[in-house]
Amino acid sequence: MSALNDRVKTSSGFYVTQEAPIQTDNAIPTPSVPAPDILRCAYMELVVTDLAASREFYVDVLGLYVTEEDDAAIYLRSTEEFIHHNLVLRQGPIAAVAAFSYRVRSPEELDVAVAFYSELGCRVERRSEGFTKGIGDSVRVEDPLGFPYEFFYQTEHVERLSWRYDLHTPGELVRLDHFNQVTPDVPRAVKFMQDLGFRVTEDIQDDEGTVYAAWMRRKPTVHDTAMTGGDGPRMHHVAFATHEKHNILAICDKLGALRRSDAIERGPGRHGVSNAFYLYLRDPDGHRVEIYTQDYYTGDPDNPVVTWDVHDNQRRDWWGNPVVPSWYTEASLVLDLDGNPKPVVARTDDSELEVTIGADGFSYTREGDEEKGFKLGNTL
Amino acid sequence: MSALNDRVKTSSGFYVTQEAPIQTDNAIPTPSVPAPDILRCAYMELVVTDLAASREFYVDVLGLYVTEEDDAAIYLRSTEEFIHHNLVLRQGPIAAVAAFSYRVRSPEELDVAVAFYSELGCRVERRSEGFTKGIGDSVRVEDPLGFPYEFFYQTEHVERLSWRYDLHTPGELVRLDHFNQVTPDVPRAVKFMQDLGFRVTEDIQDDEGTVYAAWMRRKPTVHDTAMTGGDGPRMHHVAFATHEKHNILAICDKLGALRRSDAIERGPGRHGVSNAFYLYLRDPDGHRVEIYTQDYYTGDPDNPVVTWDVHDNQRRDWWGNPVVPSWYTEASLVLDLDGNPKPVVARTDDSELEVTIGADGFSYTREGDEEKGFKLGNTL
Amino acid sequence: MSALNDRVKTSSGFYVTQEAPIQTDNAIPTPSVPAPDILRCAYMELVVTDLAASREFYVDVLGLYVTEEDDAAIYLRSTEEFIHHNLVLRQGPIAAVAAFSYRVRSPEELDVAVAFYSELGCRVERRSEGFTKGIGDSVRVEDPLGFPYEFFYQTEHVERLSWRYDLHTPGELVRLDHFNQVTPDVPRAVKFMQDLGFRVTEDIQDDEGTVYAAWMRRKPTVHDTAMTGGDGPRMHHVAFATHEKHNILAICDKLGALRRSDAIERGPGRHGVSNAFYLYLRDPDGHRVEIYTQDYYTGDPDNPVVTWDVHDNQRRDWWGNPVVPSWYTEASLVLDLDGNPKPVVARTDDSELEVTIGADGFSYTREGDEEKGFKLGNTL
Amino acid sequence: MSALNDRVKTSSGFYVTQEAPIQTDNAIPTPSVPAPDILRCAYMELVVTDLAASREFYVDVLGLYVTEEDDAAIYLRSTEEFIHHNLVLRQGPIAAVAAFSYRVRSPEELDVAVAFYSELGCRVERRSEGFTKGIGDSVRVEDPLGFPYEFFYQTEHVERLSWRYDLHTPGELVRLDHFNQVTPDVPRAVKFMQDLGFRVTEDIQDDEGTVYAAWMRRKPTVHDTAMTGGDGPRMHHVAFATHEKHNILAICDKLGALRRSDAIERGPGRHGVSNAFYLYLRDPDGHRVEIYTQDYYTGDPDNPVVTWDVHDNQRRDWWGNPVVPSWYTEASLVLDLDGNPKPVVARTDDSELEVTIGADGFSYTREGDEEKGFKLGNTL
């Protein structure tokens, strides 16, 4: 649900408010203890079913750098990273996400995290030697939304490769930008993430107050993670940033040259939300990877919150290009701390796909349009 | 029909041959006199039904430069052009194309053109004062394929604005690149254009020898015009070139900002054919405009001819993104020399849309695929 | 002075350390009270001698957006800014800097700032109505280094123009990135800025421990300000960021078209320090403006500090292109709180210009080179 | 000498004329027989003194593709080339140019070339098996200006790699663009090249009619070769084109990463002449290589000829950045048909370096300036 009264319409067609206009009547209780001080999303641990195929995708095609590898796992980082890795590929029986891992400001924040999640009754596990190579003392939890979250500070430092232009490729991935999670009840998830210290930067709603998705940040970009409404808990995508837009186009061109263009699921395009230039790929297991560049600074406490109308056909693609249905419906399983897939709970709120497409939905290019400019029909 | 025997498959999945592998059993007779020596496609004359709306699109949105204008017509050019115009917008009752105009190498070539088309029995009209402002002695014909073609040499010179970076926009259109025509019988059209002195650079065929489209050039780029199989004679699009790919993305971004994203029909994307980066727009009358950059040099007489399999899903978009049906089916009427629309004749050869999409068609990403990677289904 | 023992040489030729290896024996005492919590550099107030000429430069040439203006002052912002301004141009008798203004995290931080600077014995002035339009309660100080610093939280919000691509220019400036200050004693200045809560990200030193410049940040980029060794206090430059490198090139092209290429002082080029792509301009009063893009994330507490050897010819320009002498020697005066220019004190430490260029200096492309690749000589 | 009466000043500060305004009183007689029909500059044969070092530069650093190689020579091509090579590196005792090679329109044009140069009394050698691998029947001459020119039609076809994005690098060189020759008497050289069928597109002159350089083309770009005034015959540079400007910047960045930034002699920058974005490198033997992109179409017979004032400080660099003296004074020797270096004859006309720089020269940013904006002085 959402309070829409104070929003101001911008000249670009969306709204701004001072506070995230999201409310829930199904809140997870706010802990009495403080939340850990999170710096940023730091790495994702992915379980893949064919490690060699995944290595080819992430290393040979996307050009991520191998910090370390063995028969069971590969530790990858992006160009400017100085911590051990941004992505772990681990061979396993079922494609899934083992951890959404965040870096905290100091070693002491791990105690804070333990207290925070313990009060919430979550399963919490701590390993002083870390859960993955290159990472020290770490806490993993099954959070109240069902996601496997990790927090750590200690890590091996590795060389930042920003100046190593001799190694760079045309589609160079310079940084891990964000995660994106699928959850049935977005307002409930947002409220919990706010308790964890995240701030909402943008969201998609309708006039009835249904919230379809919300973006939240710790570092001053549009997000460290987002909550996408759908059957969950599942992982929607992990995103890496490039410096320029042509880098993203180069990835598409290379996939074409390799006759792997079917790895391109959606885009490239310009997001309405975040204003970033984007591309969505699917890895050999179907895990979705976004390539992303040029959102905006959000670090001020009064950073205006942007709200998009779900029927605005430019919200997800500023150029009005259609969102493929698989992008709405498919996502990766997440694992519990024993490595078993979490059961998926169905969304009961309206589906963004259904309210915007087809007989039961509508979208507009200009407010007041009677479906003019709604381009999906044209592609049938 | 097409001779497929001598073609060589490249490592990129298409074929090359030394001669355009297109044959017709329905040829227009080759004139006994020489064809005029054509330099390049020079301008298109478009009839538009709302001159103010068209001006807004081509001048305010796309940034073409006004050389001259009055109540009835606007004369526009691209950045590096030194002849009077590349596009004429003329107010009229029915949206259509009044002329595909080519520049010839000398004033004397107009006599050659008159003789060439007269022998073919075509209607030919010559005006020493030109048919449009800024252009001198000109010949207009209704060619054997039904298109209104113009030839001229004399023109007023205007200032090339390449160095006037103070006037340039993020989506700067630097040059007229090519025309694209819709015609029912592509081999017949190609044979005629070869008689007119054009050389085939690329085409799309199937193993049965059906030709779906062909690209032909005078200047050493991939084309000055192309023949697209379909109900015709109609005009498929007129294309302007930018310097870089981000210029094309900037046009999309601007259309979004203006809440005109529904002017984007297809793309942006990378063509398989031509290897160019592209975008298709529709103007206020539905005339299709392509923005295009970075094809390749074709000026050697033995330039390899590229042949694409119609079922190769990367032929029209190297990234395998679907072609919207409107792009196949919609096109602009063309006018006869009296200004009346030419009747449209239906294509009887197979339709590219039907052989590649849906129950009766198929496409592949990798040869031998059983429709894996055929992405249109995913967008329904 | 500098502790060089723990540094590690990278494969790119510079060094990294865990702590800023800068020490001073001439420290300003550390206040007993906390420093204000600074978010970011927010705006600079420039005194200009010809407001119309400055407007033409910053608005017509560089494309900054006018939030407000009157006969005495112009308030400008960059594309994605939502606070009132990033630059104030104020008509005055002497070209100078009236304020380096920083935004703090909350209104309460102004009391903290007053206490911090008061204990240091600095002149402190507070105005609840602000010193410039659009800014509320503010504190201005003459800091111990002689610079006019401002702190504020309250500000009018304005529309972020990131989505207004219809307004963008080829050289779009999207964000204020940083300041750069000239001061005689860099280690002393760095120590004071660390007390103010800044963290060093990079510096330039020699093996004798002389520090030539240091870069310091609050927001997680390479800097919010830098200290450049030289006669001071003076302002070296103010920097705006673009999204891509071609945007910077477009500014150069436009200056050429306007026959104002003499406004280009240095660049474009790639910095060694910061890894950013850069350009330095001089405004009509000689105030230096940098255009800058694509440095790296520095927000982790253990972000590796990069140290460059002053004799490394790629430290200031990664391509080894020479730094023009004016860039080292010229800078803008700064004003005290009465509006009078601060006296300039001469640097007594070695000059970077002299130790790297000419008979008394040297530079290398590859360590151990005997001046091979030192390119300035070639330009004489 | 030059006829300046009919020139028209453009809004960009240079002049246009209809005919190349260059005259000579020292002409090489025009042959009575026709000139060969030249398509384009096709390849250069370079003698290098350390084949391994040259291979590292052209293949590992610049990314040219090896078509063939053995112990004595390497045959390289650019991305979109379909003929055997664009550059031959041949091991030899003295760094020099063995051939400027042009492709002609048909095999028969070789007879034409033999007759043309024979009438001029030039040494002419023909080899049906070609002078280099991959090239068939060829004619080599010592032309009247002292340069070793080659003409050929027959060549092995190789695969065009434009679609092979999996092989492309960030600094991809897509095409051979042009040669540049140093000759003492530019008007004499231009007149001869016009007899050979070249058309002048741009030149640099002064008001006294001294011609400092001229650009000439066969293919419709600004040039296939240029004549630069200086001691000659020598080779000034060979130029390859990229698609975009960032590709050129990527080459600079990579050279920095390899600690080879001293290979960058001049640039990157924007040319006034040609309007192209450029960079000049020096290979391990000092042979100069230009990287170049985005000039303009020149294929119409009445293409306006652009004339620049030698004192216009934006003629060689549109941003007014200084030209390093080595760029004016250093060049490669050329070989006669026996492989011996041609003696170098001194230029007696004024030197562009001297009339524009220092005590005896001057340059302006705005016509009428008294050396304002002349930036070289600032770099001393």
Side-chain angles (χ1 to χ4, degrees), chain B residues 38-268:
Chain B
I38 296 171
L39 288 170
R40 56 166 172 138
C41 61
Y43 79 89
M44 183 175 281
E45 181 178 346
L46 279 180
V47 179
V48 300
T49 61
D50 180 342
L51 192 59
S54 293
R55 190 189 196 286
E56 190 181 33
F57 183 78
Y58 288 102
V59 178
D60 300 338
V61 178
L62 292 184
L64 288 173
Y65 296 92
V66 178
T67 299
E68 257 186 273
E69 62 184 320
D70 57 32
D71 286 353
I74 305 174
Y75 304 84
L76 299 169
R77 72 183 194 275
S78 53
T79 316
E80 69 173 52
E81 190 53 82
F82 74 98
I83 68 170
H84 188 266
H85 55 254
N86 299 128
L87 189 68
V88 178
L89 306 175
R90 187 178 306 285
Q91 175 78 41
I94 299 172
V97 175
F100 299 78
S101 183
Y102 294 85
R103 195 162 194 224
V104 293
R105 191 170 299 277
S106 68
E108 294 70 34
E109 296 296 324
L110 296 194
D111 297 332
V112 178
V114 168
F116 181 85
Y117 284 98
S118 295
E119 180 174 332
L120 286 163
C122 295
R123 179 170 169 192
V124 176
E125 195 173 338
R126 182 167 183 169
R127 285 197 201 161
S128 61
E129 76 284 10
F131 293 82
T132 65
K133 275 191 188 166
I135 307 292
D137 190 13
S138 308
V139 170
R140 284 196 174 182
V141 304
E142 290 175 29
D143 84 359
L145 306 168
F147 293 96
Y149 260 43
E150 180 182 275
F151 304 95
F152 74 94
Y153 174 78
Q154 295 175 347
T155 177
E156 284 177 33
H157 284 203
V158 290
E159 194 170 309
R160 192 169 250 154
L161 298 173
S162 298
W163 290 262
R164 290 297 306 275
Y165 292 100
D166 53 321
L167 304 177
H168 295 191
T169 65
E172 192 73 6
L173 304 181
V174 297
R175 156 177 3 172
L176 175 72
D177 194 85
H178 62 263
F179 304 141
N180 189 305
Q181 306 170 238
V182 186
T183 193
D185 184 339
V186 174
R188 174 178 158 91
V190 166
K191 168 65 172 58
F192 171 68
M193 295 300 287
Q194 288 172 319
D195 287 345
L196 187 57
F198 284 72
R199 292 187 59 87
V200 174
T201 55
E202 303 205 20
D203 68 353
I204 295 177
Q205 306 192 13
D206 63 20
D207 285 345
E208 288 73 45
T210 303
V211 183
Y212 296 87
W215 286 257
M216 284 155 296
R217 65 105 187 162
R218 286 292 307 174
K219 70 180 181 320
T221 62
V222 169
H223 51 325
D224 285 278
T225 195
M227 293 291 166
T228 299
D231 307 344
R234 291 187 298 165
M235 187 277 286
H236 194 270
H237 64 263
V238 56
F240 289 90
T242 63
H243 273 145
E244 303 203 333
K245 296 181 288 289
H246 64 79
N247 300 118
I248 292 182
L249 305 178
I251 293 170
C252 297
D253 288 336
K254 185 175 180 180
L255 286 163
L258 296 169
R259 288 283 161 179
R260 298 182 70 153
S261 63
D262 48 348
I264 300 173
E265 183 188 38
R266 179 186 158 203

Side-chain angles (χ1 to χ4, degrees), chain A residues 18-78:
Chain A
Q18 266 314 300
E19 296 292 327
I22 298 174
Q23 300 171 352
T24 179
D25 50 12
N26 184 25
I28 296 156
T30 301
S32 65
V33 295
D37 187 352
I38 296 171
L39 288 170
R40 55 166 172 140
C41 62
Y43 79 88
M44 183 174 282
E45 181 178 346
L46 280 179
V47 180
V48 299
T49 62
D50 181 340
L51 191 60
S54 294
R55 190 188 197 285
E56 189 179 34
F57 182 77
Y58 288 103
V59 178
D60 299 338
V61 179
L62 293 184
L64 287 172
Y65 295 92
V66 178
T67 299
E68 257 187 273
E69 62 185 321
D70 57 32
D71 287 352
I74 306 174
Y75 303 84
L76 299 170
R77 72 184 195 274
S78 54

Side-chain angles (χ1 to χ4, degrees), chain C residues 181-215:
Chain C
Q181 306 169 237
V182 186
T183 193
D185 184 339
V186 174
R188 175 177 158 93
V190 166
K191 167 66 172 58
F192 170 68
M193 294 301 287
Q194 288 172 320
D195 286 346
L196 188 56
F198 284 73
R199 291 189 58 88
V200 174
T201 55
E202 304 204 19
D203 68 353
I204 295 176
Q205 306 192 13
D206 62 21
D207 285 344
E208 288 72 46
T210 302
V211 183
Y212 296 87
W215 286 257

